Every structure is written in C-alpha cells, then in structure tokens.
C-alpha cells in the first residue's frame, strides 16, 4: 500500500476510519481490501470516515466509498474534509449522497486565549474579549458536539437564557464550540464568601430551574430521561449484581413519566452570570425530558450529600453553606420563603438523589468520556447498597409520589 494510511477505532459505539494521504486509482484496491477487513474486525456501529489528514481522493476512491456505503445498514458519515478534498466531493455530487462536513477551524494557536474554568470535564476559555471557547473532553465525538449545538439553538427558541453557539472548532486535538460572549463568571465564583450573593444567586437559580421545568420541548432528538437512566443502570452491571440492576430499573419505572424539559447538570459551577446580572446556561449536553424530580434529585445529591467529603467535591461548599444554598434555591423554585412548604418533599428529593447517586458513575462517563476513579465508583456503589437496597419499597413509594411535581 502506498500514498495513504487507514486506521480504525471504536468511539462511543461508532466505527471511525481515519484516512490520510492521497487516494488514487493506483491504491484503491488496497483501500477496498483494508476497509472490508477492518469492517469484519469491527462489525458493529455506524461508520464515520475522519479525513482530517486526507490530501486528495480520486473518482476511483469515491467509488470505493460508494460501494462500501451500499453494504452498510446506515449511511456513512464523512468528517473533517479539507477544502480541496471537499471540492472534489462537491463537484462529483457526492455531497448529495453522503453526509460530508468540512474540516473544522483549529484554534490551538489562537491569540489571547486564557482559561475561564473547568466544569464536568469541559474546559472553558476566553478568546479575546468577545468570544468564549468551550473545549470538550478527549474522546467526545463530533456527533455529540453537533447535538449540543442543536440543543443550544432549541434553547433560544424555548426562551432559555443561553449563548449563541455559532461554530464548532478544534483546540489541541479536541472538539470545541465557539460562543458569543461578554465577560461572564460562574455563579460559584460570584458567590465567594458573600452570604448576600449566595442568597441572591441561589434564589435566581431556583427561578431559572422552574422556568426550564415549565417547558415542553417537543423535539424528537431530545432523549427521554428514563431511557437514559435504564442504559446507565445496565452500564453499572459491572459493579452491581444482576438483582441490584433489576432493582434500579424498577425504581426508574416507578417515577411517573412527563414531557418536561430537564437540564441535567444544574449547579453553581455550571450556571453563569453575565455583566448585567442575568443568569445564562452554557452546557446543553445533558438536556433530557421527563419528570422534574430527576433534576431535583440530582441537585439534592450535590448539595445535600450525606458524605461531607463528597458534598465538598460536588458542590464546592461546606456542609452549612451547601444546605443553605439548597434551601434558598428551592425557595426560588417554589416561590415561597416558607421552607416548610418544600421540606415536606424531602423524602421524595432524597429518594431521587439516591437513585441518581447509584447511576452517577455511568452518567459521569457519559458526560466526560472517561471512567471515574475506582475509589469514587466504589463510594457511589456502597452508598447505593446502604441507602437503596435495604429500603426499596419505601424509595419506590417516594418516587411514585413525585407525580406531585408534574403540576406544581
């Protein structure tokens, strides 16, 4: 084989073929043979051709791709095509046959780039004074980034305060998203040691969450939270016994279904404050739809975790500050300063938090593209065995009672 190189790898259930060099009539037979061989070695998943380093492809090479595509059950996708190679795809009409996307702009050497912060595996940078660059964890697929861009656009339609995601780029070998932005900081960084700021922003976050939960998304591409959670339960089978996985699925099924928009990662480190004081959302990767108790349970897990060490790691706050933040956020959510109004739901919040905690290692990997440390996984597994399995019926009863939130 000469002039080109092909390697294959599985990423998030898809088979990626990485093409580089020149594909011409002299080597198309080699290309065809290697594709056939690698497909036999990796029979599952749809196919994505990454042409980041492809310099040239002839009409004979295009015919090989066309022939390969005819044997697939799902259409192949071709990404990172250089302007020169894209012109060949376009002139020959292959852009009408395949899903072809041009090579992304590389911001690795962009001037005036400095870090803003890290949240959920995502690193955020300022680029100059008006652009924000969000860089995804290594291993995140382009499809995931494109999906979040679609969700960001949908959020604007739903009148959720968010930023305009206007371009997908690369940064030091990882995918990134560009946003228009005036200077903004996370709620967590704005609070500092100010009790006044904590009350102000926690209440505002509660109101924003309630606004999100008033939306019926009606978009087919947004996944249902119960389906996502069942997949997480299955993914946790490495750590839980089969009966325990069955119990988790039973608890997921106990939660009444709903068509409410869910944010999925709502905390002070993931909500931003613009210069005018408006709260905005940036991370749309975890948008789902379902019962609001799933969002509320995750937030409860973050701010009311029974482990002070884990509470500090998840929220950044100490025990008293985290509890106060939760109470104030719920005051904003329920529209009352009477803590007793939502304290009566404590058993429901706790049950939803226990379920979320049991699935959290799988959710973490889904969001960050990497496993938790073994020690952290063992913490959440042992916590589930202590809090869930001895009291399954009580937790199921509490989760079923979450129907109260559907019309709250």
């Amino acid at each position: 084989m000469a002039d080109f190189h092909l390697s294959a790898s599985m990423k998030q259930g898809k088979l990626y073929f990485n093409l580089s060099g020149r594909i011409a009539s002299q080597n198309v037979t080699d290309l065809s043979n290697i594709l056939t061989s690698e497909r036999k070695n990796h029979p599952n998943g749809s196919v994505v051709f990454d042409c980041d380093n492809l310099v040239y492809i002839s009409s004979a090479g295009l015919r090989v791709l066309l022939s390969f595509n005819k044997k697939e059950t799902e259409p192949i996708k071709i990404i990172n095509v250089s302007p020169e190679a894209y012109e060949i795809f376009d002139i020959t009409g292959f852009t009408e046959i395949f899903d072809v996307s041009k090579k992304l702009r590389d911001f690795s050497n962009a001037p005036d780039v400095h870090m803003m912060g890290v949240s959920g595996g995502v690193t955020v940078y300022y680029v100059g004074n008006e652009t924000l660059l969000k860089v995804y964890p290594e291993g995140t697929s382009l499809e995931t980034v494109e999906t979040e861009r679609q969700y960001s656009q949908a959020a604007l339609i739903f009148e959720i305060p968010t930023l305009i995601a206007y371009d997908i780029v690369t940064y030091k070998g990882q995918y990134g998203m560009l946003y228009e932005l005036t200077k903004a900081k996370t709620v967590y960084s704005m609070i500092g040691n100010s009790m006044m700021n904590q009350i102000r922003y926690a209440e505002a976050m509660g109101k924003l969450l309630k606004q999100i939960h008033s939306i019926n998304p009606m978009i087919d591409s947004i996944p249902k939270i119960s389906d996502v959670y069942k997949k997480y339960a299955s993914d946790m089978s490495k750590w839980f016994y089969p009966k325990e996985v069955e119990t988790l699925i039973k608890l997921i099924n106990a939660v009444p279904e709903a068509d409410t928009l869910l944010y999925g990662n709502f905390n002070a480190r993931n909500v931003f404050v613009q210069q005018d004081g408006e709260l905005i959302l940036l991370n749309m990767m975890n948008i789902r739809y379902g019962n609001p108790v799933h969002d509320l349970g995750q937030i409860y897990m973050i701010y009311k975790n029974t482990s002070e060490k884990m509470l500090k790691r998840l929220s950044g706050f100490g025990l008293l500050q985290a509890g106060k933040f939760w109470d104030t956020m719920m005051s904003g959510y329920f529209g009352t300063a009477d803590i007793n109004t939502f304290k009566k739901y404590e058993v429901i919040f706790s049950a939803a938090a226990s379920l979320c905690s049991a699935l959290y290692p799988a959710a973490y990997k889904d969001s960050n593209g990497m496993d938790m440390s073994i020690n952290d996984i063992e913490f959440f597994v042992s916590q589930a065995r202590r809090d869930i399995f001895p009291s399954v019926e009580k937790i199921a009863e509490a989760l079923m009672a979450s129907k109260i939130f559907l019309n709250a």
Side-chain angles (χ1 to χ4, degrees):
M1 179 179 68
D3 296 326
F4 83 92
H5 178 73
L6 183 147
S7 63
S9 60
M10 293 296 297
K11 297 179 184 178
Q12 297 184 341
K14 296 182 182 296
L15 174 58
Y16 279 75
F17 287 122
N18 296 288
L19 283 172
S20 60
R22 297 176 60 87
I23 299 174
S25 57
Q26 296 89 341
N27 55 26
V28 291
T29 300
D30 290 332
L31 173 64
S32 179
N33 291 338
I34 294 172
L35 286 175
T36 300
S37 175
E38 290 289 356
R39 192 48 165 156
K40 286 182 179 179
N41 293 334
H42 305 85
N44 300 318
S46 58
V47 172
V48 179
F49 283 88
D50 189 337
C51 300
D52 188 27
N53 296 304
L54 182 66
V55 177
Y56 172 81
I57 184 168
S58 67
S59 58
L62 292 177
R63 287 194 294 273
V64 169
L65 298 186
L66 182 61
S67 176
F68 181 88
N69 184 61
K70 289 179 179 178
K71 300 174 185 177
E72 293 294 306
T73 57
E74 296 182 50
I76 66 174
K77 190 172 185 178
I78 304 172
I79 64 173
N80 288 334
V81 180
S82 69
E84 295 78 14
Y86 187 88
E87 186 175 358
I88 297 172
F89 279 95
D90 193 32
I91 291 174
T92 56
F94 273 69
T95 52
E96 302 296 325
I97 301 173
F98 300 128
D99 182 357
V100 184
S101 58
K102 291 182 180 180
K103 189 173 184 176
L104 305 176
R105 288 191 292 163
D106 186 6
F107 266 63
S108 301
N109 298 313
D112 196 17
V113 176
H114 51 283
M115 184 183 295
M116 176 184 180
V118 180
S119 176
V122 171
T123 307
V124 181
Y125 299 89
Y126 287 122
V127 183
N129 295 320
E130 297 182 351
T131 302
L132 184 145
L133 168 62
K134 183 170 73 172
V135 178
Y136 296 83
E138 185 176 356
T140 302
S141 69
L142 179 59
E143 182 181 42
T144 297
V145 181
E146 289 174 336
T147 298
E148 185 178 12
R149 184 180 181 182
Q150 294 173 8
Y151 290 171
S152 297
Q153 293 169 342
L156 289 172
I157 297 173
F158 297 144
E159 298 184 358
I160 297 174
T162 186
L163 303 174
I164 298 175
Y166 67 88
D167 199 9
I168 299 173
V169 299
T170 58
Y171 183 77
K172 296 183 178 179
Q174 295 167 227
Y175 291 117
M177 188 93 76
L178 292 182
Y179 297 83
E180 293 181 342
L181 180 69
T182 54
K183 290 289 185 178
K185 296 182 179 180
T186 64
V187 167
Y188 180 79
S189 65
M190 292 292 288
I191 290 172
N193 296 318
S194 170
M195 180 61 68
M196 184 178 295
N197 281 348
Q198 174 172 313
I199 294 172
R200 172 188 176 188
Y201 291 120
E203 185 175 4
M205 281 183 59
K207 292 178 180 178
L208 176 56
L209 184 65
K210 185 64 176 181
Q211 177 186 344
I212 294 170
H213 288 171
S214 68
I215 296 169
N216 182 332
M218 298 297 289
I219 295 179
D220 292 339
S221 61
I222 295 179
K224 183 164 67 171
I225 188 66
S226 57
D227 291 340
V228 174
Y229 269 20
K230 288 173 186 176
K231 178 183 180 301
Y232 290 164
S234 177
D235 292 343
M236 291 300 295
S237 60
K238 180 180 177 181
W239 299 93
F240 288 123
Y241 297 119
K243 286 286 188 182
E244 292 174 329
V245 172
E246 289 177 13
T247 297
L248 293 176
I249 293 175
K250 174 184 176 181
L251 294 176
I252 295 167
N253 287 332
V255 180
E257 295 285 3
D259 294 329
T260 301
L261 186 68
L262 308 177
Y263 185 66
N265 191 18
F266 197 81
N267 64 79
R269 288 170 161 172
N270 205 30
V271 179
F272 293 80
V273 184
Q274 296 212 84
Q275 286 181 325
D276 61 2
E278 181 187 22
L279 300 189
I280 55 172
L281 300 174
L282 181 62
N283 184 2
M284 297 293 172
M285 290 180 67
N286 298 306
I287 279 185
R288 310 283 188 255
Y289 76 89
N291 193 309
V293 76
H294 290 299
D295 262 355
L296 295 165
Q298 185 181 58
I299 299 167
Y300 190 90
M301 179 193 76
I302 292 172
Y303 292 102
K304 300 283 282 185
N305 201 289
T306 54
S307 164
E308 289 190 40
K309 182 178 178 181
M310 187 57 67
L311 181 146
K312 179 69 175 178
R313 287 178 57 184
L314 292 174
S315 72
F317 296 142
L319 181 64
L320 294 177
Q321 191 177 14
K324 180 64 175 177
F325 193 87
W326 161 263
D327 287 342
T328 309
M329 192 190 306
M330 290 302 98
S331 293
Y333 185 88
F334 287 98
T336 176
D338 181 11
I339 294 178
N340 292 325
T341 299
F342 51 86
K343 280 289 185 180
K344 61 186 178 183
Y345 304 135
E346 196 89 13
V347 65
I348 301 176
F349 296 141
S350 179
S354 295
L355 177 59
C356 178
S357 179
L359 304 173
Y360 192 62
Y364 179 92
K365 183 175 183 179
D366 186 34
S367 296
N368 296 284
M370 62 188 79
D371 285 314
M372 274 184 172
S373 70
I374 291 178
N375 287 341
D376 283 348
I377 294 174
E378 289 177 344
F379 167 84
F380 286 105
V381 170
S382 63
Q383 191 175 62
R385 288 185 171 138
R386 184 193 69 216
D387 296 343
I388 294 181
F389 303 122
S391 309
V392 172
E393 296 306 321
K394 288 184 177 179
I395 291 177
E397 183 179 355
L399 292 174
M400 285 187 283
S402 66
K403 63 183 178 183
I404 194 171
F405 297 126
L406 303 187
N407 297 312

